[in-house]
Each structure stands twice: as C-alpha cells, then as structure tokens.
Amino acid sequence: MNVRVRHDAIVRILRRNGTSTIDALAEEVGASRRTVLRDISALRDAGYVIHSDVGRGGGLQLDPQSVQTSARLTVPEIFALLISVAAMRAAGNLPFSKLADAGLAKIEKALPSDKVKDLRNFLDCLHVGPLSPLQDLSDMGRMTPDLLPAFERAFLGAHFIRFDYRDAKGRKTQREVEPQAMLILPPLWYLVGWDPTRSDFRHFRMDRISQPKAMADTHFRRRHVPFEEDVCPYSELQS
Amino acid sequence: MNVRVRHDAIVRILRRNGTSTIDALAEEVGASRRTVLRDISALRDAGYVIHSDVGRGGGLQLDPQSVQTSARLTVPEIFALLISVAAMRAAGNLPFSKLADAGLAKIEKALPSDKVKDLRNFLDCLHVGPLSPLQDLSDMGRMTPDLLPAFERAFLGAHFIRFDYRDAKGRKTQREVEPQAMLILPPLWYLVGWDPTRSDFRHFRMDRISQPKAMADTHFRRRHVPFEEDVCPYSELQS
DNA sequence: AAAAAGGTGCCAAAATATGGCACCATACGT
DNA sequence: ACGTATGGTGCCATATTTTGGCACCTTTTT
C-alpha cells in the first residue's frame, strides 16, 4: 500500500471510529505497529491534530477541527475565490468571512510570491459599493470565465484593454480604456476605465462587454478613482 | 533531494525561464535527464499543462494558466469558503462565480466523501434573500468564527441548538430550536429555527446569538422552510 | 546527413520505507 | 505493589521504490 493512501486510510479510520489504538489501526491498514507510529508522526507534522491518551483505555483521537484537505488550484481559480470572499467581506462584516480569509491566506502562502503581489494589487482595484435591491437578472449571465484571462492580464500588467461594448440603448462600439478598477454593485459588476480620448472615467457593465483583449504593448498609470455617490450616481450606473 | 521538492523546483524554473530544455533542468535540479523526464510526466499527470517542442531550438514550456498551488485547508475553512461563494452566486450570476465554483469543486473532491455530503446538505439549508440596502453596521461583527463549530455540528448532525439570544428590545432569553436553515439578507444573517414549544418558525439574527451549543443527544427532521415574502417579511426581519 | 531536442524501455544501483525487536514511560485495575 | 494495556523511540536488517545510465526511437532545424 502506497504511503499517501495509507495516510488517508488512517485519517479516515480515525474520523470514523472517533478513537482507535495503534494496534487496531495497524491491523486495519495492513501495516506494522511501527509503521503506523511513523505515519501518525508524519500526519502530525503535516498539521493534523491527533490527541493521544496513554495507558489502559487510551488511544488516538483525531481532532475533528483539524481534518484537512489539499487541492491543487490554478491561479485563475484562486483569483475567483479571492474576489468572491473580498466582495463578501466588503459587503459587510459577514459571519465566516474571517475564516474564509484564513483559508485564502493559506492558499496565498502556497503561491509564488510574485503572484501574491499581483493578486493584492488587483484586490486594491476592487471597490464594493452599496448593495442594491435584487432586480431582474434575465440580462445577466453573459459574463463568462472566458473574459477573465484578458482582465487579469490587463489589470496585472497595467495594460490598456480593448473590447466590444453594447450600451443601454443597444448601440455597439469598440472601446479602449485604462482598466482602473472593478466596481461591484451586486448583482452587477462594472469595469471602471479611464477613457483617454474623452479624458474621463467611464463605467462599463461587465455583462455588456465582449471580446476583451489586453494590449500587451501599452501601459498606463493608476489614478485615484472617485467613488463618491455624486461622482458615480447609483441610478445612472444601473441603466 | 526530495521528489516533492524537486517537482516544485522544476515548476519554479519553468515559470522563471519561460522555456527550458530537459538537460538544463536536470543540471539545475541536480538530477539525471531520465529522472527529470519522469518528473515532467508526473507533473503532467498532476494537471500541469507543459508544452513541449521537439527538435533543435525546442524545449519545455509551462502553460502560465496552469500554475497551480496546493494548500492544506481545514474543514471549517472550506466551509467558510463554500458559504462565501454560495452566497455570492445566489446573490446574482456574478462574474467569476463559475470559476470560483470550479476551484471549490476541486477542494471538495479532495475531501472525504462523507464530508462532501455533509457540506452539500448544509448548503441546501442556505437561503439568500433579496439584497438589502447597505445599513449601519455598527451592531455587526459579534458573529465570530467561534460560533461556527456549534452551528456546523448542529446542522450536520441534525441536533437541536441551544443559545442565548438578545432580541431587538434587548431582552435576553435562552432558546432551544431545530436549526432548519440559514437566511442571508446581506449584511445580516439569520438562523431559521423551528421552535417546538411554540410550534412555529422563528428567525434569529446571528449577531445576537451567543453561547451556541449543539445538543448531541437530540435529533430533528428537516422541514420545508417557507421563504415567501409574506411568511417572512423583510421589514420584520430587519428589526 | 548531422545535430538538437523530446520520449520510452530496461536493468542494476542507490535511496528510502518497512518490520521486528528491545526497551521506556504512563495510566489503570486488581 | 504488580501486571497489563497503551503511546513512543532507537536501531538494524530487509523489502520496496526511486534513480541513473544506457540503448534506442521520433521529430525538427541547420
């Protein structure tokens, strides 16, 4: 039996039985007492909290809080998780958000450090506005993960982004702006871009954006994005 | 050098250099060409996308989208992440939520199967209502991760939950109810409980709950929780 | 055609994991 | 006080896995 498989088996048995002795574990996984002891030691090193009671009636006990799992996530997936949790947290000091943060912090720690810096920079561009009443979502859903890579590249590399936009009146235009921030007014998301030809900020509903493309050969500087109600009135954004 | 460490080293080198040959990798990690080839094969099996160009001027190239990370998360942390993403998704078909789901699906796959079933059951009890306008949050924040274990145990084990409750008028009572659902009306969270002594549903603001305790020796059955506006009027909940 | 690259199969050698043993410490019951 | 059941450690020979070397194949560029 593979080491990994055996470790998983031991965790499973401990979780199932609540408590177990080393000899019982050894018999069930088909390994020697000595090996199981080594496995327990390895599991503790890996972060599992395993209590042990010595003496008659004693045994091993896995702290149920410490059941852990390890999944390999891609960077865009981590990105998406971070955004979800950041938006939740910004929308109010919700229960569990601290715990979710702790989980994400672990994920971050496992990332290459340059990627972490990139993610933090992106989150700095994330603004969550006042929560809006629920509305008709029939127009939503056109924002697909396909759009993410271009946005990620544009934000992280400080590149201009070019995309096709369909405005509230259905007119289609091609735009090219500096992606300065993302504004979240649930359930709608907006790209806040600086339009250099108009020398002004413009807001774009994410679900009306298509074919985004980061212009890798261009660069821009971060600006201070105004988010006061009067600068970016709610009613106008919803249109 | 440890296998795991060497795999990480190879990924790091490929990320850094963009492209590299097997011989160069072998020299840098201090292993043989054959071993590196085996490592590449293992990494591909593990989900990394590694392109290879054969012939003069060729080499290996790691698809930057496939950079992965692996962090060990505890069950409560995963729980919290699931809740965040589920709430976000329920609040509207937000950008990135599909991708976040994909990430969570991977995390779920790495969990023991019985835990996954538990989590799904819990998420079934999660109702997200209409989003409310942002309000004064000064009263929030008393919901701490400390409360989570008791709620988790109570929901997953279908145990009664007993807690101290401070109502809108500041009166303190001890309650014992069947935890039937969680209702999310951002930024407030409610426990929806069936009170057997009153034979009716009652809603409790999570931030007014303290000292929750799952009664491990009791059991209840899931009920159909009504969530129509008239049964559980929004204005009443906010009080 | 030659050179430079990725890739596979095989086998002996090196490294690592395992099992067995002796032994220690602690707790509980008689 | 003693025996027994439990977790825990050190050591070493043995079993298993990983590694390196080699021969050889395919593809691509010069």
Side-chain angles (χ1 to χ4, degrees):
Chain A
M1 187 188 264
N2 186 328
V3 183
R4 275 302 258 291
V5 175
R6 203 177 55 234
H7 284 193
D8 288 351
I10 289 174
V11 170
R12 209 164 44 242
I13 294 167
L14 283 175
R15 266 181 36 77
R16 166 162 53 80
N17 296 359
T19 179
S20 176
T21 69
I22 289 175
D23 288 323
L25 281 171
E27 192 180 356
E28 184 149 356
V29 301
S32 71
R33 190 183 109 96
R34 188 68 188 82
T35 297
V36 170
L37 270 159
R38 271 192 279 248
D39 289 339
I40 296 292
S41 174
L43 287 172
R44 291 213 247 242
D45 282 349
Y48 286 88
V49 177
I50 299 174
H51 307 290
S52 61
D53 288 313
V54 70
R56 200 181 275 230
L60 299 172
Q61 203 168 2
L62 175 63
D63 183 330
Q65 289 288 304
S66 87
V67 173
Q68 303 196 345
T69 189
S70 168
R72 300 193 79 87
L73 302 177
T74 67
V75 168
E77 284 163 355
I78 293 167
F79 213 81
L81 283 174
L82 274 169
I83 291 172
S84 288
V85 173
M88 277 290 277
R89 183 185 37 204
N93 190 0
L94 297 176
F96 312 131
S97 65
K98 264 187 199 149
L99 205 59
D101 274 347
L104 285 178
K106 279 193 189 172
I107 293 177
E108 276 191 5
K109 239 173 59 184
L111 273 177
S113 60
D114 54 335
K115 276 279 168 195
V116 172
K117 223 181 60 200
D118 287 350
L119 287 171
R120 293 235 167 270
N121 282 344
F122 180 82
L123 288 183
D124 285 344
C125 303
L126 202 65
H127 296 253
V128 179
L131 293 164
S132 69
L134 191 73
Q135 46 194 274
D136 181 21
L137 297 184
S138 56
D139 198 23
M140 301 296 299
R142 223 162 302 129
M143 172 64 188
T144 66
D146 309 346
L147 300 187
L148 183 57
F151 274 83
E152 190 183 335
R153 264 196 301 279
F155 268 101
L156 300 188
H159 301 314
F160 278 66
I161 190 163
R162 177 187 294 168
F163 52 87
D164 294 333
Y165 194 68
R166 183 179 51 80
D167 73 9
K169 299 189 184 92
R171 288 177 302 226
K172 281 176 191 159
T173 48
Q174 191 177 65
R175 311 299 284 261
E176 187 170 331
V177 300
E178 304 171 355
Q180 293 286 351
M182 304 275 289
L183 175 64
I184 306 178
L185 301 171
L188 298 178
W189 285 48
Y190 297 87
L191 166 68
V192 181
W194 174 268
D195 189 329
T197 66
R198 292 172 180 79
S199 287
D200 198 5
F201 287 105
R202 286 285 184 276
H203 297 79
F204 305 93
R205 264 177 59 169
M206 292 288 280
D207 60 309
R208 291 180 175 157
I209 290 174
S210 56
Q211 310 285 339
K213 189 168 174 340
M215 314 303 288
D217 50 340
T218 58
H219 285 279
F220 68 90
R221 293 249 218 94
R222 291 258 170 266
R223 294 163 193 274
H224 176 70
V225 180
F227 274 106
E228 292 72 32
E229 179 84 4
D230 53 84
V231 174
C232 156
Y234 182 73
S235 56
E236 184 186 309
L237 282 175
Q238 298 299 319
S239 68
Chain B
M1 188 189 262
N2 187 328
V3 183
R4 276 300 258 289
V5 174
R6 204 176 54 232
H7 284 192
D8 289 350
I10 289 174
V11 170
R12 211 165 43 241
I13 293 168
L14 284 176
R15 263 182 40 78
R16 167 162 55 81
N17 296 359
T19 177
S20 177
T21 70
I22 290 175
D23 288 323
L25 282 171
E27 192 181 355
E28 184 149 355
V29 302
S32 70
R33 189 183 110 96
R34 189 68 189 79
T35 298
V36 171
L37 270 159
R38 270 191 281 248
D39 289 339
I40 296 292
S41 172
L43 287 171
R44 291 211 247 242
D45 282 348
Y48 286 88
V49 177
I50 299 173
H51 306 289
S52 60
D53 286 313
V54 70
R56 200 182 273 227
L60 298 171
Q61 203 168 2
L62 175 63
D63 184 329
Q65 287 290 303
S66 89
V67 171
Q68 303 195 344
T69 190
S70 166
R72 299 194 78 88
L73 302 177
T74 68
V75 167
E77 285 164 354
I78 294 167
F79 215 80
L81 284 175
L82 274 168
I83 292 173
S84 288
V85 174
M88 278 290 278
R89 183 184 35 205
N93 191 0
L94 297 175
F96 312 132
S97 64
K98 264 187 199 148
L99 204 59
D101 273 348
L104 285 177
K106 279 194 189 170
I107 294 177
E108 276 190 7
K109 239 173 59 183
L111 272 177
S113 59
D114 53 336
K115 273 280 165 190
V116 172
K117 224 181 61 202
D118 288 351
L119 287 172
R120 291 236 169 267
N121 282 344
F122 180 82
L123 289 183
D124 284 346
C125 302
L126 202 63
H127 296 254
V128 179
L131 293 166
S132 69
L134 191 74
Q135 45 194 275
D136 180 22
L137 297 183
S138 57
D139 198 25
M140 301 297 300
R142 221 162 302 127
M143 171 65 187
T144 65
D146 308 345
L147 300 187
L148 183 57
F151 275 83
E152 191 182 336
R153 263 197 301 279
F155 268 101
L156 300 188
H159 301 314
F160 278 66
I161 190 164
R162 177 187 293 168
F163 52 88
D164 296 332
Y165 192 68
R166 180 180 53 79
D167 74 9
K169 298 189 185 91
R171 287 176 303 226
K172 282 176 191 159
T173 47
Q174 191 177 65
R175 312 299 285 262
E176 187 170 330
V177 301
E178 304 172 354
Q180 294 286 353
M182 303 275 288
L183 176 63
I184 306 178
L185 301 171
L188 300 177
W189 285 48
Y190 297 87
L191 166 68
V192 181
W194 174 267
D195 189 330
T197 68
R198 292 173 178 78
S199 289
D200 199 6
F201 287 105
R202 285 287 184 277
H203 297 80
F204 305 94
R205 263 178 58 167
M206 292 288 279
D207 60 309
R208 291 180 174 157
I209 290 174
S210 56
Q211 310 286 337
K213 189 171 174 340
M215 313 303 288
D217 50 338
T218 59
H219 285 279
F220 68 91
R221 294 248 217 93
R222 289 260 171 264
R223 292 163 193 275
H224 176 70
V225 180
F227 274 105
E228 292 72 31
E229 178 83 5
D230 52 85
V231 174
C232 156
Y234 182 73
S235 55
E236 184 186 309
L237 283 175
Q238 298 298 322
S239 68

